Coordinates of all heavy atoms in Angstrom, one line a residue:
M1 N 96.1 105.8 113.1 CA 95.8 105.4 111.8 C 95.9 106.6 110.8 O 95.3 107.6 111.1 CB 94.5 104.7 111.8 CG 94.2 104.1 110.4 SD 92.5 103.3 110.5 CE 91.5 104.6 110.0
K2 N 96.5 106.5 109.7 CA 96.6 107.5 108.7 C 95.2 107.6 108.0 O 94.7 106.6 107.6 CB 97.6 107.3 107.8 CG 98.9 108.2 107.9 CD 100.0 107.8 107.0 CE 100.4 108.9 106.1 NZ 101.5 108.5 105.2
H3 N 94.8 108.8 107.7 CA 93.6 109.0 107.0 C 93.8 108.6 105.5 O 94.7 109.3 104.9 CB 93.0 110.4 107.2 CG 92.1 110.5 108.4 ND1 91.0 111.2 108.4 CD2 92.3 109.9 109.6 CE1 90.5 111.2 109.6 NE2 91.3 110.4 110.3
K4 N 93.0 107.8 105.0 CA 93.2 107.5 103.6 C 92.3 108.4 102.8 O 91.1 108.5 103.0 CB 92.7 106.0 103.4 CG 93.7 105.2 102.7 CD 93.3 103.7 102.7 CE 93.4 103.1 101.3 NZ 92.7 101.8 101.4
R5 N 92.9 109.1 101.9 CA 92.1 110.1 101.1 C 91.7 109.6 99.8 O 91.0 110.2 99.0 CB 92.9 111.4 101.0 CG 93.3 112.0 102.3 CD 92.7 113.4 102.5 NE 91.3 113.5 102.0 CZ 90.4 114.3 102.6 NH1 90.6 114.9 103.7 NH2 89.2 114.5 102.1
I6 N 92.3 108.4 99.4 CA 92.0 107.9 98.1 C 90.8 107.1 98.2 O 90.6 106.2 99.0 CB 93.2 106.9 97.6 CG1 94.5 107.7 97.6 CG2 92.9 106.3 96.3 CD1 95.8 106.9 97.6
I7 N 89.9 107.5 97.3 CA 88.6 106.8 97.2 C 88.6 106.0 96.0 O 89.2 106.3 95.0 CB 87.5 107.9 97.1 CG1 87.6 108.9 98.1 CG2 86.2 107.3 96.9 CD1 86.9 110.2 98.0
S8 N 88.0 104.8 96.1 CA 87.8 103.9 95.0 C 87.3 104.6 93.7 O 86.2 105.2 93.7 CB 86.8 102.8 95.4 OG 86.4 102.1 94.2
K9 N 88.1 104.6 92.7 CA 87.9 105.3 91.4 C 86.6 104.7 90.8 O 85.8 105.4 90.3 CB 89.0 105.2 90.5 CG 90.1 106.2 90.7 CD 90.1 107.2 89.6 CE 90.9 108.5 89.9 NZ 92.2 108.3 90.4
K10 N 86.5 103.4 90.9 CA 85.4 102.7 90.3 C 84.0 103.1 91.0 O 83.1 103.5 90.2 CB 85.6 101.2 90.5 CG 84.5 100.3 89.9 CD 84.9 98.9 90.0 CE 83.7 98.0 89.6 NZ 82.6 98.0 90.5
T11 N 84.1 103.2 92.3 CA 82.8 103.6 93.0 C 82.5 105.1 92.6 O 81.4 105.4 92.4 CB 83.0 103.5 94.5 OG1 83.5 102.2 94.8 CG2 81.6 103.7 95.2
I12 N 83.5 105.9 92.6 CA 83.2 107.3 92.3 C 82.7 107.4 90.8 O 81.7 108.2 90.6 CB 84.6 108.1 92.3 CG1 85.0 108.3 93.8 CG2 84.5 109.5 91.7 CD1 84.0 109.0 94.6
N13 N 83.3 106.6 89.9 CA 82.7 106.7 88.5 C 81.3 106.3 88.5 O 80.5 106.8 87.7 CB 83.6 105.9 87.5 CG 84.9 106.7 87.3 OD1 84.9 107.9 87.3 ND2 86.0 106.0 87.0
E14 N 81.0 105.3 89.3 CA 79.6 104.8 89.3 C 78.6 105.8 89.7 O 77.5 105.9 89.3 CB 79.5 103.6 90.3 CG 80.0 102.2 89.7 CD 80.0 101.2 90.7 OE1 79.4 101.3 91.8 OE2 80.6 100.1 90.4
I15 N 79.0 106.6 90.7 CA 78.0 107.6 91.3 C 78.2 109.0 90.6 O 77.5 109.9 91.0 CB 78.1 107.8 92.8 CG1 79.4 108.2 93.2 CG2 77.7 106.4 93.4 CD1 79.3 109.0 94.5
R16 N 79.2 109.1 89.8 CA 79.6 110.4 89.3 C 78.4 111.1 88.6 O 77.6 110.5 87.9 CB 80.7 110.3 88.2 CG 81.3 111.7 87.8 CD 82.5 111.5 87.0 NE 83.7 111.0 87.6 CZ 84.3 111.8 88.6 NH1 83.9 112.9 88.9 NH2 85.4 111.2 89.2
S17 N 78.3 112.3 89.0 CA 77.2 113.1 88.6 C 77.8 114.5 88.2 O 78.8 115.0 88.6 CB 76.2 113.3 89.7 OG 75.4 114.4 89.5
T18 N 77.1 115.2 87.2 CA 77.6 116.5 86.8 C 76.9 117.6 87.6 O 77.2 118.7 87.5 CB 77.2 116.7 85.3 OG1 75.8 116.5 85.1 CG2 78.0 115.8 84.4
R19 N 76.1 117.2 88.6 CA 75.4 118.1 89.5 C 75.6 117.7 91.0 O 75.6 116.6 91.3 CB 73.9 118.2 89.2 CG 73.6 118.0 87.7 CD 72.1 117.9 87.6 NE 71.6 119.1 86.9 CZ 70.5 119.8 87.2 NH1 69.8 119.4 88.2 NH2 70.2 120.9 86.6
C20 N 75.5 118.7 91.7 CA 75.4 118.5 93.2 C 74.1 117.8 93.4 O 73.0 118.3 93.0 CB 75.4 119.9 94.0 SG 75.1 119.7 95.7
E21 N 74.1 116.7 94.2 CA 72.9 115.9 94.4 C 72.0 116.6 95.3 O 70.8 116.2 95.5 CB 73.3 114.5 94.9 CG 74.0 113.6 93.9 CD 74.3 112.2 94.3 OE1 73.3 111.5 94.6 OE2 75.5 111.9 94.4
I22 N 72.4 117.6 96.1 CA 71.5 118.3 97.0 C 70.9 119.6 96.3 O 69.6 119.7 96.3 CB 72.2 118.8 98.2 CG1 72.7 117.5 99.0 CG2 71.4 119.7 99.1 CD1 71.6 116.7 99.6
C23 N 71.7 120.5 95.8 CA 71.2 121.7 95.2 C 71.2 121.8 93.7 O 70.6 122.7 93.2 CB 71.9 122.9 95.8 SG 73.6 123.1 95.2
G24 N 71.8 120.8 93.0 CA 71.7 120.8 91.6 C 72.8 121.7 90.9 O 72.8 121.7 89.6
Q25 N 73.6 122.3 91.7 CA 74.7 123.2 91.0 C 75.6 122.3 90.2 O 75.8 121.1 90.5 CB 75.4 123.9 92.1 CG 76.4 124.9 91.6 CD 77.0 125.7 92.6 OE1 76.3 126.5 93.4 NE2 78.3 125.6 92.9
R26 N 76.2 122.9 89.1 CA 76.9 122.1 88.2 C 78.5 122.4 88.3 O 79.2 121.8 87.5 CB 76.6 122.4 86.8 CG 75.1 121.9 86.5 CD 74.7 122.4 85.1 NE 73.3 121.9 84.8 CZ 73.1 120.7 84.3 NH1 74.1 119.9 84.0 NH2 71.9 120.4 84.0
T27 N 78.8 123.2 89.2 CA 80.3 123.5 89.3 C 80.9 123.0 90.6 O 80.3 123.0 91.6 CB 80.6 125.0 89.1 OG1 79.7 125.7 90.0 CG2 80.4 125.5 87.7
N28 N 82.2 122.7 90.5 CA 83.0 122.3 91.7 C 82.3 121.1 92.5 O 82.0 121.2 93.7 CB 83.1 123.5 92.7 CG 83.9 124.6 92.0 OD1 84.9 124.3 91.3 ND2 83.5 125.8 92.3
I29 N 82.0 120.1 91.7 CA 81.4 118.9 92.4 C 82.4 118.0 92.9 O 83.4 117.7 92.3 CB 80.5 118.2 91.4 CG1 79.5 119.1 90.6 CG2 79.7 117.0 92.0 CD1 78.7 119.9 91.5
E30 N 82.3 117.6 94.1 CA 83.2 116.6 94.7 C 82.5 115.5 95.5 O 81.4 115.8 96.1 CB 84.2 117.3 95.6 CG 83.6 118.3 96.6 CD 84.5 119.4 97.0 OE1 85.3 120.0 96.2 OE2 84.5 119.8 98.2
P31 N 83.1 114.4 95.7 CA 82.5 113.3 96.4 C 82.6 113.6 97.9 O 83.7 114.0 98.4 CB 83.2 112.1 96.0 CG 84.6 112.5 95.5 CD 84.4 113.9 95.1
H32 N 81.6 113.2 98.7 CA 81.6 113.4 100.2 C 81.3 112.0 100.7 O 80.3 111.4 100.3 CB 80.6 114.4 100.5 CG 80.3 114.4 102.0 ND1 81.2 114.7 103.0 CD2 79.1 114.1 102.6 CE1 80.6 114.6 104.2 NE2 79.4 114.2 104.0
H33 N 82.0 111.6 101.8 CA 81.7 110.5 102.6 C 80.7 110.9 103.6 O 81.0 111.7 104.4 CB 82.9 109.8 103.3 CG 83.8 109.2 102.3 ND1 84.9 109.8 101.6 CD2 83.9 107.8 102.0 CE1 85.5 108.9 100.9 NE2 85.0 107.7 101.0
I34 N 79.5 110.2 103.6 CA 78.4 110.6 104.5 C 78.9 110.2 105.9 O 78.8 110.9 106.9 CB 77.1 110.0 104.2 CG1 76.7 110.5 102.8 CG2 76.0 110.3 105.2 CD1 75.6 109.8 102.1
N35 N 79.3 108.9 106.1 CA 80.0 108.5 107.3 C 81.5 108.7 107.0 O 82.0 108.1 106.1 CB 79.7 107.1 107.7 CG 78.2 106.9 108.0 OD1 77.8 107.3 109.0 ND2 77.5 106.2 107.1
T36 N 82.2 109.6 107.7 CA 83.5 109.9 107.4 C 84.4 108.6 107.4 O 84.1 107.7 108.2 CB 84.1 110.9 108.4 OG1 84.1 110.3 109.7 CG2 83.3 112.2 108.5
R37 N 85.5 108.7 106.7 CA 86.4 107.6 106.7 C 87.0 107.4 108.1 O 87.2 106.3 108.6 CB 87.6 107.9 105.8 CG 87.1 108.1 104.3 CD 87.9 107.3 103.3 NE 88.5 106.2 103.9 CZ 88.7 105.1 103.2 NH1 88.3 104.9 102.0 NH2 89.3 104.1 103.7
G38 N 87.1 108.6 108.8 CA 87.7 108.5 110.2 C 86.8 107.6 111.1 O 87.3 107.0 112.0
S39 N 85.4 107.7 110.9 CA 84.5 107.0 111.7 C 84.3 105.6 111.2 O 83.4 104.9 111.6 CB 83.2 107.8 111.9 OG 82.5 107.7 110.6
G40 N 85.1 105.2 110.1 CA 84.9 103.8 109.5 C 84.0 103.7 108.3 O 83.7 102.7 107.8
G41 N 83.6 104.9 107.8 CA 82.7 104.9 106.6 C 83.4 104.3 105.4 O 84.6 104.5 105.2
G42 N 82.7 103.6 104.6 CA 83.3 102.9 103.5 C 83.2 103.6 102.2 O 82.5 104.6 102.0
D43 N 84.0 103.2 101.2 CA 83.9 103.6 99.9 C 82.9 102.9 99.1 O 83.2 102.2 98.1 CB 85.3 103.4 99.2 CG 86.3 104.4 99.6 OD1 86.0 105.5 100.1 OD2 87.6 104.1 99.4
I44 N 81.7 103.0 99.5 CA 80.6 102.3 98.9 C 79.6 103.4 98.4 O 79.5 104.5 99.0 CB 79.9 101.3 99.8 CG1 79.4 101.9 101.1 CG2 80.9 100.1 100.1 CD1 78.6 101.0 102.0
R45 N 78.9 103.0 97.4 CA 77.8 103.9 96.8 C 76.9 104.5 97.8 O 76.7 105.7 97.8 CB 77.0 103.2 95.8 CG 77.7 102.6 94.6 CD 76.9 101.6 93.8 NE 75.6 102.3 93.3 CZ 75.5 102.9 92.1 NH1 76.5 102.7 91.3 NH2 74.4 103.5 91.8
E46 N 76.5 103.6 98.8 CA 75.5 104.1 99.8 C 76.2 105.1 100.8 O 75.4 105.7 101.5 CB 75.0 102.8 100.5 CG 74.1 102.0 99.7 CD 74.9 101.0 98.8 OE1 76.2 101.0 98.8 OE2 74.3 100.4 98.0
N47 N 77.4 105.2 100.8 CA 78.1 106.2 101.7 C 78.7 107.4 101.0 O 79.3 108.2 101.5 CB 79.2 105.5 102.5 CG 79.7 106.3 103.7 OD1 79.0 106.9 104.3 ND2 81.1 106.4 103.8
L48 N 78.5 107.5 99.6 CA 79.0 108.6 98.9 C 77.9 109.4 98.2 O 77.0 108.9 97.7 CB 80.0 108.0 97.8 CG 81.4 107.5 98.3 CD1 82.0 106.6 97.4 CD2 82.2 108.6 98.8
I49 N 78.2 110.7 98.2 CA 77.3 111.6 97.6 C 78.1 112.7 96.9 O 79.1 113.1 97.4 CB 76.3 112.2 98.6 CG1 75.2 113.0 97.9 CG2 76.9 113.0 99.7 CD1 73.9 113.3 98.8
Q50 N 77.7 113.2 95.8 CA 78.4 114.2 95.1 C 77.8 115.6 95.5 O 76.6 115.8 95.4 CB 78.2 114.1 93.6 CG 78.7 112.8 93.0 CD 80.2 112.9 92.6 OE1 80.8 113.9 92.6 NE2 80.7 111.7 92.2
L51 N 78.7 116.5 96.1 CA 78.2 117.8 96.6 C 79.1 118.9 95.9 O 80.2 118.7 95.6 CB 78.4 117.8 98.1 CG 77.6 116.8 98.9 CD1 78.0 117.0 100.4 CD2 76.1 117.0 98.7
C52 N 78.4 120.0 95.8 CA 79.2 121.2 95.4 C 79.9 121.7 96.6 O 79.7 121.3 97.7 CB 78.2 122.3 94.9 SG 77.2 123.0 96.2
T53 N 80.9 122.5 96.4 CA 81.7 123.0 97.5 C 80.9 123.6 98.6 O 81.2 123.3 99.7 CB 82.7 124.1 97.0 OG1 83.4 123.6 95.9 CG2 83.7 124.5 98.1
Q54 N 79.9 124.4 98.3 CA 79.1 125.0 99.4 C 78.3 124.0 100.2 O 78.4 124.0 101.4 CB 78.1 126.0 98.8 CG 77.5 127.0 99.8 CD 78.7 127.7 100.7 OE1 79.5 128.4 100.1 NE2 78.6 127.5 102.0
C55 N 77.7 123.1 99.5 CA 76.9 122.0 100.3 C 77.9 121.2 101.1 O 77.6 120.7 102.2 CB 76.1 121.1 99.3 SG 74.7 122.0 98.6
H56 N 79.0 120.9 100.5 CA 80.1 120.1 101.2 C 80.6 120.8 102.5 O 80.6 120.2 103.6 CB 81.2 119.9 100.2 CG 82.1 118.7 100.6 ND1 83.2 118.3 99.8 CD2 82.0 117.8 101.6 CE1 83.7 117.3 100.4 NE2 83.0 116.9 101.5
I57 N 80.9 122.1 102.4 CA 81.2 122.9 103.6 C 80.1 122.9 104.6 O 80.3 122.6 105.7 CB 81.6 124.3 103.2 CG1 82.9 124.4 102.4 CG2 81.7 125.2 104.5 CD1 83.2 125.7 101.7
N58 N 78.9 123.1 104.1 CA 77.8 123.1 105.0 C 77.5 121.8 105.8 O 77.3 121.9 107.0 CB 76.4 123.5 104.2 CG 76.4 124.9 103.7 OD1 77.2 125.7 104.1 ND2 75.5 125.1 102.8
T59 N 77.6 120.7 105.0 CA 77.3 119.4 105.7 C 78.5 119.1 106.7 O 78.1 118.6 107.8 CB 77.2 118.3 104.7 OG1 76.5 117.2 105.4 CG2 78.5 117.8 104.1
H60 N 79.7 119.5 106.4 CA 80.8 119.3 107.4 C 80.6 120.2 108.6 O 81.2 119.9 109.7 CB 82.2 119.5 106.7 CG 82.6 118.3 106.0 ND1 83.2 117.2 106.7 CD2 82.6 117.9 104.7 CE1 83.5 116.3 105.8 NE2 83.1 116.7 104.7
S61 N 79.9 121.3 108.5 CA 79.8 122.2 109.7 C 78.4 121.9 110.3 O 77.9 122.8 111.1 CB 79.9 123.6 109.3 OG 79.2 124.0 108.2
G62 N 77.7 120.9 110.0 CA 76.5 120.5 110.6 C 75.2 121.2 110.2 O 74.2 121.2 110.9
Q63 N 75.3 122.0 109.0 CA 74.2 122.6 108.5 C 73.6 121.8 107.4 O 74.0 120.8 107.1 CB 74.6 124.0 108.0 CG 75.1 124.9 109.2 CD 75.9 126.1 108.6 OE1 75.7 126.5 107.4 NE2 76.9 126.6 109.4
H64 N 72.5 122.4 106.8 CA 71.9 121.8 105.6 C 72.9 121.6 104.5 O 73.5 122.6 104.1 CB 70.7 122.6 105.1 CG 70.1 122.0 103.8 ND1 69.2 120.9 104.0 CD2 70.2 122.3 102.7 CE1 68.9 120.5 102.7 NE2 69.5 121.4 101.9
P65 N 73.1 120.5 103.8 CA 72.3 119.2 104.1 C 72.9 118.5 105.3 O 74.1 118.3 105.4 CB 72.6 118.5 102.8 CG 74.0 118.9 102.3 CD 74.0 120.4 102.7
T66 N 72.1 118.0 106.1 CA 72.4 117.2 107.2 C 72.8 115.8 106.8 O 72.5 115.4 105.5 CB 71.3 117.1 108.3 OG1 70.2 116.4 107.7 CG2 70.9 118.4 108.8
K67 N 73.3 114.9 107.6 CA 73.7 113.6 107.3 C 72.4 112.9 106.8 O 72.4 112.1 105.8 CB 74.2 113.0 108.6 CG 74.8 111.6 108.3 CD 75.6 111.2 109.6 CE 75.9 109.7 109.5 NZ 76.6 109.3 110.7
D68 N 71.3 113.1 107.5 CA 70.0 112.5 107.1 C 69.6 112.9 105.7 O 69.0 112.1 104.9 CB 68.9 112.8 108.1 CG 68.9 111.8 109.2 OD1 69.6 110.9 109.2 OD2 68.0 111.9 110.1
D69 N 69.7 114.3 105.4 CA 69.4 114.7 104.0 C 70.2 114.0 103.0 O 69.7 113.6 102.0 CB 69.8 116.2 103.9 CG 68.9 117.1 104.8 OD1 67.7 116.7 105.1 OD2 69.4 118.2 105.2
C70 N 71.5 113.8 103.3 CA 72.4 113.1 102.3 C 71.9 111.6 102.2 O 71.8 111.1 101.0 CB 73.8 113.1 102.8 SG 74.5 114.8 102.7
L71 N 71.6 111.0 103.3 CA 71.2 109.6 103.3 C 69.9 109.4 102.5 O 69.7 108.5 101.7 CB 71.1 109.0 104.7 CG 72.4 108.8 105.5 CD1 72.1 108.4 107.0 CD2 73.3 107.8 104.8
N72 N 69.0 110.4 102.7 CA 67.8 110.4 101.9 C 67.9 110.5 100.4 O 67.3 109.8 99.6 CB 66.8 111.5 102.4 CG 66.0 111.0 103.6 OD1 65.4 110.0 103.7 ND2 65.9 111.8 104.6
K73 N 68.9 111.3 100.1 CA 69.2 111.6 98.6 C 69.8 110.3 98.0 O 69.5 109.8 97.0 CB 70.3 112.7 98.4 CG 69.7 114.0 98.4 CD 68.8 114.2 97.1 CE 68.0 115.5 97.2 NZ 67.0 115.6 96.2
V74 N 70.7 109.6 98.8 CA 71.3 108.4 98.4 C 70.2 107.3 98.2 O 70.2 106.5 97.2 CB 72.4 107.9 99.3 CG1 72.8 106.5 99.0 CG2 73.6 108.8 99.3
A75 N 69.3 107.2 99.1 CA 68.2 106.3 99.0 C 67.4 106.4 97.8 O 67.1 105.4 97.0 CB 67.3 106.4 100.3
E76 N 67.1 107.7 97.5 CA 66.4 108.0 96.2 C 67.2 107.6 95.0 O 66.7 107.0 94.1 CB 66.3 109.6 96.2 CG 65.1 110.2 95.6 CD 65.0 111.7 95.8 OE1 64.6 112.2 96.9 OE2 65.5 112.3 94.9
R77 N 68.4 107.9 95.0 CA 69.4 107.6 93.9 C 69.5 106.1 93.7 O 69.4 105.6 92.5 CB 70.8 108.2 94.1 CG 71.7 108.0 92.9 CD 73.1 107.5 93.4 NE 73.8 108.5 94.2 CZ 74.7 108.2 95.2 NH1 74.9 106.9 95.5 NH2 75.3 109.1 95.9
E78 N 69.6 105.3 94.7 CA 69.8 103.9 94.7 C 68.4 103.2 94.6 O 68.5 102.0 94.4 CB 70.6 103.4 95.9 CG 72.0 104.0 96.0 CD 72.9 103.7 94.8 OE1 72.8 102.6 94.3 OE2 73.7 104.5 94.4
G79 N 67.4 103.9 94.8 CA 66.0 103.2 94.7 C 65.7 102.3 95.8 O 65.1 101.3 95.7
I80 N 66.3 102.6 96.9 CA 66.1 101.8 98.1 C 65.6 102.8 99.3 O 65.5 104.0 99.1 CB 67.3 100.9 98.6 CG1 68.5 101.9 98.9 CG2 67.7 99.9 97.6 CD1 69.8 101.2 99.3
T81 N 65.2 102.2 100.4 CA 64.7 103.0 101.5 C 65.9 103.6 102.3 O 67.0 103.1 102.3 CB 63.8 102.2 102.4 OG1 64.6 101.2 103.1 CG2 62.7 101.5 101.7
Y82 N 65.6 104.7 103.1 CA 66.5 105.3 104.0 C 67.0 104.2 105.0 O 68.2 104.1 105.2 CB 65.8 106.4 104.8 CG 66.6 106.9 105.9 CD1 67.5 108.0 105.7 CD2 66.6 106.3 107.2 CE1 68.2 108.6 106.8 CE2 67.3 106.9 108.2 CZ 68.2 108.0 108.0 OH 68.9 108.5 109.0
D83 N 66.2 103.4 105.5 CA 66.5 102.3 106.4 C 67.5 101.3 105.8 O 68.5 100.9 106.5 CB 65.3 101.6 107.0 CG 64.5 102.4 107.9 OD1 65.0 103.4 108.5 OD2 63.3 102.0 108.2
E84 N 67.3 101.0 104.5 CA 68.3 100.1 103.8 C 69.6 100.8 103.7 O 70.7 100.1 103.9 CB 67.7 99.7 102.5 CG 66.6 98.7 102.6 CD 65.8 98.5 101.4 OE1 65.6 99.4 100.6 OE2 65.3 97.3 101.2
V85 N 69.6 102.0 103.3 CA 70.9 102.7 103.2 C 71.6 102.8 104.5 O 72.8 102.4 104.6 CB 70.7 104.2 102.7 CG1 72.0 105.0 102.7 CG2 70.1 104.2 101.3
Y86 N 70.8 103.1 105.6 CA 71.5 103.1 106.9 C 72.1 101.8 107.3 O 73.2 101.7 107.8 CB 70.3 103.5 107.9 CG 70.8 103.8 109.3 CD1 71.3 105.0 109.6 CD2 70.7 102.7 110.2 CE1 71.7 105.3 110.9 CE2 71.2 103.0 111.5 CZ 71.6 104.2 111.9 OH 72.1 104.5 113.1
A87 N 71.2 100.7 107.0 CA 71.8 99.4 107.4 C 73.0 98.9 106.6 O 74.0 98.4 107.2 CB 70.6 98.4 107.2
I88 N 72.9 99.3 105.3 CA 74.1 98.9 104.5 C 75.4 99.6 105.0 O 76.5 99.0 105.0 CB 73.9 99.3 103.0 CG1 72.8 98.3 102.4 CG2 75.2 99.2 102.1 CD1 72.2 98.8 101.1
N89 N 75.3 100.9 105.3 CA 76.4 101.6 105.9 C 76.9 101.1 107.2 O 78.1 101.0 107.5 CB 76.0 103.1 106.0 CG 76.3 103.8 104.7 OD1 77.4 103.8 104.1 ND2 75.2 104.5 104.1
R90 N 75.9 100.7 108.1 CA 76.3 100.2 109.4 C 77.0 98.9 109.2 O 78.0 98.6 109.8 CB 75.0 99.9 110.2 CG 74.3 101.1 110.6 CD 74.8 101.7 111.9 NE 74.6 100.9 113.1 CZ 75.0 101.2 114.3 NH1 75.6 102.3 114.5 NH2 74.8 100.4 115.3
K91 N 76.6 98.0 108.3 CA 77.2 96.8 108.0 C 78.7 97.1 107.5 O 79.6 96.4 107.9 CB 76.5 96.0 107.0 CG 76.0 94.6 107.5 CD 75.2 93.8 106.4 CE 74.2 93.0 107.1 NZ 73.0 92.7 106.2
A92 N 78.8 98.0 106.5 CA 80.1 98.3 106.0 C 81.1 98.8 107.0 O 82.3 98.7 106.9 CB 80.0 99.3 104.9
M93 N 80.5 99.4 108.1 CA 81.4 99.9 109.2 C 81.6 98.9 110.2 O 82.2 99.1 111.3 CB 80.6 101.1 109.9 CG 80.6 102.3 108.9 SD 79.5 103.6 109.4 CE 80.3 104.4 110.7
G94 N 81.1 97.6 110.0 CA 81.4 96.6 110.9 C 80.4 96.3 112.1 O 80.7 95.5 113.0
Y95 N 79.3 97.1 112.0 CA 78.3 96.8 113.1 C 77.4 95.7 112.7 O 77.3 95.3 111.5 CB 77.4 98.1 113.2 CG 78.2 99.3 113.8 CD1 78.6 100.3 113.0 CD2 78.5 99.4 115.1 CE1 79.3 101.4 113.5 CE2 79.2 100.5 115.6 CZ 79.6 101.5 114.8 OH 80.3 102.5 115.3
E96 N 76.6 95.2 113.7 CA 75.7 94.1 113.4 C 74.4 94.6 112.9 O 73.5 93.9 112.6 CB 75.4 93.4 114.8 CG 76.5 92.4 115.2 CD 76.7 91.3 114.1 OE1 75.7 90.7 113.7 OE2 77.9 91.0 113.8
V97 N 74.3 95.9 112.6 CA 73.1 96.6 112.1 C 72.0 96.9 113.2 O 71.6 95.9 113.8 CB 72.5 96.0 110.9 CG1 71.2 96.8 110.5 CG2 73.4 95.9 109.8
Ligands
ZN1 ZN1 75.1 121.9 96.4
ZN2 ZN1 83.2 115.5 102.9

């Protein structure tokens, strides 16, 4: 399966932020899939977070912010609990939750 790099523009615009959602930096912000597309992660708000280049590199190498840090931030942004974010993502990935 080819990796799809195109992310839903609509979803990106919905979560678009001028700052890194982890450290607050204002430059080089890019969207990150918390559950990678390769692992079935969806283009949904609950799976996307805006990160600066440094936080983005860090999370991909397993350092801070961890996946849990990202999920907690998304929960805060969406006004729902960590468990709800987790469940919504699991469902989007085709699991029974
Ligand atoms: Zn950052
Ligand atoms: Zn990423």
Side-chain angles (χ1 to χ4, degrees):
M1 191 181 88
K2 253 176 121 181
H3 275 219
K4 233 171 131 190
R5 301 240 40 142
I6 300 162
I7 301 165
S8 160
K9 278 250 162 58
K10 184 174 169 285
T11 311
I12 288 301
N13 284 332
E14 279 173 12
I15 65 151
R16 190 169 288 289
S17 159
T18 54
R19 324 174 112 222
C20 170
E21 292 184 61
I22 296 294
C23 73
Q25 186 173 297
R26 292 171 181 278
T27 48
N28 300 320
I29 311 304
E30 50 203 39
H32 164 66
H33 284 88
I34 300 168
N35 294 290
T36 64
R37 302 225 26 145
S39 71
D43 283 340
I44 54 173
R45 299 168 60 95
E46 291 79 4
N47 192 39
L48 288 162
I49 187 165
Q50 301 269 356
L51 298 178
C52 67
T53 306
Q54 194 55 58
C55 289
H56 202 179
I57 291 168
N58 288 350
T59 198
H60 276 277
S61 52
Q63 295 162 26
H64 176 79
T66 63
K67 191 170 167 179
D68 270 0
D69 294 330
C70 292
L71 290 172
N72 274 314
K73 276 291 168 192
V74 167
E76 215 174 273
R77 186 226 293 148
E78 300 297 325
I80 57 182
T81 66
Y82 171 92
D83 287 344
E84 285 169 325
V85 173
Y86 186 84
I88 289 166
N89 275 305
R90 294 274 296 177
K91 238 180 214 155
M93 291 163 78
Y95 293 103
E96 282 298 316
V97 178

